[in-house]
Amino acid sequence: VKTFFTPGPSQLYPGIDTFFADALKEHVMSMSHRSGAFSDMFDRTVANLRTLMDIPSDYHIFFLGSATEAMERIIQNTVESRSHHFVNGAFAKRFFTTAQELRKQATETRSSWGDAAKGSDMHVPKGTELAVFTHNETSTGAALHMEDIYAFKRANPEVLVAVDVVSSAPIVKLDFSYLDCVFFSVQKAFGLPAGVGVLIVSPAALAKAQYLEGKTTTGSHHSFASLVTSAVKSQTPATPNVLGMYLLGRVAADMNDKGIDQLRERITGRAARLYELLETHAVLRPFVKDPEYRSDTVIVAQTQDSTLLARKLANEGLMVGKGYGDYKTAHLRIANFPATSGEHVDQLMTALQQCA
Amino acid sequence: VKTFFTPGPSQLYPGIDTFFADALKEHVMSMSHRSGAFSDMFDRTVANLRTLMDIPSDYHIFFLGSATEAMERIIQNTVESRSHHFVNGAFAKRFFTTAQELRKQATETRSSWGDAAKGSDMHVPKGTELAVFTHNETSTGAALHMEDIYAFKRANPEVLVAVDVVSSAPIVKLDFSYLDCVFFSVQKAFGLPAGVGVLIVSPAALAKAQYLEGKTTTGSHHSFASLVTSAVKSQTPATPNVLGMYLLGRVAADMNDKGIDQLRERITGRAARLYELLETHAVLRPFVKDPEYRSDTVIVAQTQDSTLLARKLANEGLMVGKGYGDYKTAHLRIANFPATSGEHVDQLMTALQQCA
């Protein structure tokens, strides 16, 4: 038996085999994406997500191929020239690079990897159309404070705000009234097979896309205009990952049944225990030094040789992530997602304590 | 029990539940997309596809979110200004529209819906960089002759050739030496859950993308340059639909085991029987008048009221497609894909004969 604490793809949400069997029985994978049955499924998934994440009814929910695609579609549809990026890790940098590749005048405020932009750092150049924040940097385990982002929006109401919650949704509580583009992927805290990116868009972001339509290319089938035209009919512009959308709806429903508040408490409690272990460990240390900016869902430990440690844990069936990029052998990354049980985490903590 | 003759999503390939169970057992959905296990899976799927479709070793195989995304990536990466499109249905038109949305000077040769461009029609304006052919028009059931496309390429070696084989791969036999961009989606003749588009790219198309890199935007994570940088490492730029790629590899392997030539013969034979039935039917007629240009895999019947007929067939568990767009109530579309058995087709033919 293997238990996956990898930061995504990760442990599958319990019951996924039942959900798949139901999908087979209900012909989810054979039904036309232009049928009423598809639209019913679309509506259920959207409704379950709205409840789970408290998404306002005038915000649209789009289904894309990946979170990386979401970065591309956000830049194409909300930025004529200038985006500003708060960069403190590989995924924030990926968003910044996307803007450059799409030939925008992208600027950045850089923090060290393992640090996070604080409220006092959150300034953007004049003329910035979109400010981009990576709430939870999957490569380093640093998390921004949503309150700082809300304060930024209050101070800069004319700037659109995009937030990457790829590996923190739906655990992070969000106040969408301060946010314009929010996106995540399903193979992280939702515990699903990869292949769906979800992008949530405010009326203001949509209006900006409409403004840009006539001036520049906003893409083709996945422009906001095209996505919204389909979404209001409970459809998607192209044949989507229907199974992925169905499974997402099922997992969101299950989380709603169990209560998102309890789930959040459970994850936060586990994170505190894991960080405590790292603080007092013989060879491991939390990579993010400031406890105020540590992620609850992706916990990164610094060590001398993570390859050996990861192999030792794997021998016990405990699969953890190695470090990202240059940190490959210097970090362990531990996902603290809902799909793993308290017992799984206890097992991991015992095994970690025995590593010295 | 329902049997899906819908033109995609469609009947699932036999054994899909076993493949899914194997995927669970092998932790396909939890493994990191940066792991050796993923790269092994990537290599197996690519190798099986190369064998099945006889794809040259110097052609790259890219995995995207959908065939519609493939249209976008082809235009972005191979066209600076001018593409020419042979348009005879909704999907050929979608490709043409994509080029327009991406602000290219797209031109078209239009045939009536239900007709197909013949060799003598295959001319493009001077300066055309990319000629776009829809081999198998899923909306009408018309199929071009690949020999005509090869002759076009011989006469226009400097023009890149893109071919949409969305609903004909892997049944149509292709000579890739005449082709530069070939794409399909997996929910048609491969009988898989939707959510993967496969794009096969020639060295010449890749060179064109490299030439365009410096001049214009070729996209971001799914530019040809980004896709190929990952593909040579047996990876993808973003987290892909890992399950979809795995299932595609399994189905391709199964088709290779059974023999693609026999499979093609079986499908062609069934198509001939279905068209014969339509030719002599009391109320149904083949929509494509010229027998030379009828699709083997998507068979479209003209009738007075397809809604009633489709409902009658559905009562017997036989799910067929209605017409596309304006033809919704005037056509029945019948997929002749490998996932349905000879018995399924016999059952459908008996039921069709009883409709009068």
Side-chain angles (χ1 to χ4, degrees):
Chain A
V1 183
K2 288 182 182 180
T3 308
F4 285 83
F5 293 93
T6 43
S10 193
Q11 182 76 7
L12 292 175
Y13 197 82
I16 200 96
D17 45 346
T18 311
F19 300 161
F20 184 81
D22 289 347
L24 270 180
K25 217 181 318 169
E26 296 166 23
H27 301 290
V28 167
M29 291 171 272
S30 294
M31 71 186 177
S32 165
H33 59 298
R34 300 294 175 230
S35 66
F38 175 88
S39 292
D40 290 346
M41 184 279 287
F42 183 106
D43 290 344
R44 274 196 303 275
T45 295
V46 162
N48 293 343
L49 275 180
R50 277 196 206 282
T51 302
L52 183 68
M53 295 177 66
D54 203 12
I55 302 167
S57 60
D58 58 346
Y59 278 54
H60 285 285
I61 301 178
F62 300 145
F63 298 93
L64 305 174
S66 67
T68 313
E69 187 188 356
M71 296 180 187
E72 179 183 37
R73 303 313 180 185
I74 292 168
I75 295 292
Q76 284 179 317
N77 284 274
T78 66
V79 180
E80 187 171 0
S81 327
R82 292 169 194 277
S83 57
H84 187 82
H85 302 253
F86 293 88
V87 177
N88 63 335
F91 293 96
K93 196 179 160 200
R94 172 69 256 188
F95 208 148
F96 177 62
T97 305
T98 299
Q100 292 179 312
E101 287 171 340
L102 297 173
R103 305 197 157 217
K104 309 299 180 185
Q105 294 170 46
T107 51
E108 62 172 324
T109 300
R110 197 175 270 250
S111 308
S112 302
W113 269 213
D115 281 351
K118 289 152 192 62
S120 54
D121 305 321
M122 292 183 180
H123 303 287
V124 297
K126 213 170 135 82
T128 295
E129 300 163 72
L130 178 77
V132 175
F133 301 93
T134 305
H135 168 253
N136 200 66
E137 194 26 274
T138 317
S139 67
T140 67
L144 307 190
H145 289 188
M146 288 309 305
E147 284 300 339
D148 290 341
I149 298 173
Y150 304 156
F152 170 86
K153 180 71 175 184
R154 277 191 297 266
N156 302 272
E158 76 293 354
V159 178
L160 295 174
V161 169
V163 182
D164 172 340
V165 290
V166 165
S167 55
S168 52
I171 301 306
V172 61
K173 202 179 159 101
L174 299 171
D175 183 341
F176 279 88
S177 66
Y178 297 107
L179 308 175
D180 297 291
C181 296
V182 174
F183 64 98
F184 64 87
S185 52
V186 299
Q187 75 275 15
K188 310 283 185 185
F190 283 92
L192 288 166
V196 179
V198 177
L199 171 59
I200 303 151
V201 165
S202 75
L206 202 59
K208 180 67 182 284
Q210 276 154 353
Y211 163 81
L212 289 179
E213 277 290 298
K215 309 190 69 143
T216 177
T217 176
T218 54
S220 58
H221 69 301
H222 278 178
S223 69
F224 284 9
S226 171
L227 286 160
V228 81
T229 301
S230 291
V232 296
K233 294 185 285 185
S234 306
Q235 291 188 0
T236 53
T239 319
N241 184 337
V242 184
L243 175 64
M245 290 172 62
Y246 171 84
L247 294 174
L248 176 59
R250 292 293 299 267
V251 167
D254 194 77
M255 288 177 169
N256 284 328
D257 286 349
K258 294 190 167 135
I260 185 66
D261 291 337
Q262 288 91 311
L263 187 57
R264 285 171 178 157
E265 268 174 48
R266 183 155 72 83
I267 296 297
T268 313
R270 281 164 29 165
R273 289 171 56 218
L274 280 159
Y275 282 117
E276 204 185 313
L277 182 150
L278 295 182
E279 292 277 15
T280 57
H281 196 274
V283 297
L284 298 170
R285 287 285 170 276
F287 176 55
V288 178
K289 295 305 158 217
D290 189 338
E292 288 292 309
Y293 294 92
R294 287 178 185 159
S295 165
D296 282 336
T297 49
V298 179
I299 289 153
V300 178
Q302 203 167 6
T303 180
Q304 300 249 305
D305 181 2
S306 67
T307 312
L308 193 71
L309 271 179
R311 201 178 306 140
K312 244 169 123 172
L313 294 167
N315 285 340
E316 300 186 47
L318 300 163
M319 315 306 289
V320 300
K322 284 180 216 154
Y324 196 92
D326 293 344
Y327 293 105
K328 185 161 187 173
T329 60
H331 288 176
L332 281 185
R333 291 184 300 151
I334 300 165
N336 180 26
F337 293 155
T340 49
S341 68
E343 277 174 37
H344 289 142
V345 174
D346 290 343
Q347 211 187 328
L348 176 69
M349 289 182 66
T350 306
L352 283 171
Q353 255 144 354
Q354 285 160 359
C355 297
Chain B
V1 182
K2 289 183 183 179
T3 308
F4 285 83
F5 293 93
T6 43
S10 191
Q11 182 76 6
L12 292 175
Y13 197 81
I16 201 95
D17 46 346
T18 311
F19 299 160
F20 184 80
D22 289 347
L24 271 180
K25 217 181 318 168
E26 297 166 23
H27 302 292
V28 166
M29 291 171 274
S30 294
M31 71 186 177
S32 165
H33 59 296
R34 301 295 176 228
S35 67
F38 174 88
S39 292
D40 290 346
M41 184 278 287
F42 183 106
D43 290 342
R44 273 196 305 275
T45 295
V46 162
N48 293 342
L49 275 180
R50 277 197 205 281
T51 302
L52 183 69
M53 295 178 67
D54 203 12
I55 301 166
S57 60
D58 58 345
Y59 278 54
H60 284 286
I61 301 178
F62 299 146
F63 298 93
L64 306 174
S66 67
T68 312
E69 187 188 357
M71 296 180 186
E72 178 184 39
R73 303 314 178 184
I74 291 168
I75 295 291
Q76 284 178 317
N77 285 274
T78 67
V79 180
E80 188 171 359
S81 327
R82 291 170 195 276
S83 58
H84 187 80
H85 301 253
F86 293 88
V87 177
N88 64 335
F91 293 96
K93 196 178 161 200
R94 172 69 255 188
F95 208 147
F96 177 62
T97 306
T98 300
Q100 291 179 313
E101 287 171 340
L102 296 172
R103 306 200 154 213
K104 309 299 179 185
Q105 295 171 45
T107 51
E108 62 173 324
T109 299
R110 198 175 269 251
S111 309
S112 302
W113 269 214
D115 282 350
K118 290 153 190 62
S120 54
D121 304 321
M122 292 183 180
H123 303 287
V124 297
K126 216 172 132 77
T128 296
E129 301 162 72
L130 179 77
V132 175
F133 301 93
T134 305
H135 168 253
N136 201 67
E137 200 13 284
T138 315
S139 67
T140 67
L144 307 190
H145 289 189
M146 288 309 304
E147 284 300 339
D148 290 342
I149 297 173
Y150 303 155
F152 171 85
K153 181 70 175 184
R154 277 192 296 267
N156 303 273
E158 76 293 354
V159 178
L160 294 174
V161 169
V163 181
D164 172 340
V165 291
V166 165
S167 55
S168 51
I171 301 306
V172 60
K173 200 180 160 98
L174 298 171
D175 183 340
F176 279 88
S177 66
Y178 297 107
L179 308 174
D180 296 293
C181 296
V182 174
F183 64 99
F184 63 88
S185 52
V186 301
Q187 75 275 15
K188 310 283 184 182
F190 283 92
L192 288 167
V196 179
V198 177
L199 170 59
I200 303 152
V201 165
S202 74
L206 201 59
K208 180 66 182 283
Q210 276 154 355
Y211 162 82
L212 290 179
E213 277 289 298
K215 308 189 71 141
T216 176
T217 176
T218 54
S220 59
H221 70 301
H222 278 179
S223 69
F224 284 9
S226 171
L227 286 160
V228 82
T229 300
S230 292
V232 296
K233 296 185 284 186
S234 305
Q235 290 187 1
T236 53
T239 318
N241 183 336
V242 184
L243 174 64
M245 290 174 62
Y246 170 84
L247 294 174
L248 176 59
R250 292 294 301 264
V251 167
D254 194 75
M255 288 177 169
N256 283 328
D257 286 348
K258 292 188 170 136
I260 184 67
D261 291 337
Q262 288 91 312
L263 187 58
R264 285 171 179 159
E265 270 175 44
R266 184 156 72 85
I267 296 298
T268 313
R270 281 162 32 166
R273 288 171 56 215
L274 280 158
Y275 282 117
E276 204 185 314
L277 182 150
L278 295 183
E279 291 278 15
T280 57
H281 196 275
V283 297
L284 298 170
R285 287 286 171 274
F287 176 56
V288 178
K289 295 304 160 220
D290 188 338
E292 288 292 308
Y293 294 92
R294 286 177 186 159
S295 165
D296 282 337
T297 48
V298 179
I299 289 154
V300 178
Q302 203 166 6
T303 180
Q304 300 248 305
D305 180 2
S306 67
T307 311
L308 194 71
L309 271 179
R311 201 177 306 139
K312 244 169 123 173
L313 293 167
N315 285 340
E316 301 186 46
L318 300 163
M319 315 306 288
V320 300
K322 285 181 216 153
Y324 196 90
D326 291 344
Y327 294 105
K328 186 160 186 173
T329 59
H331 288 176
L332 282 184
R333 289 185 302 150
I334 300 166
N336 179 27
F337 293 156
T340 49
S341 67
E343 277 174 35
H344 289 142
V345 174
D346 290 344
Q347 212 186 329
L348 176 68
M349 288 182 67
T350 306
L352 282 171
Q353 255 146 354
Q354 284 160 358
C355 296

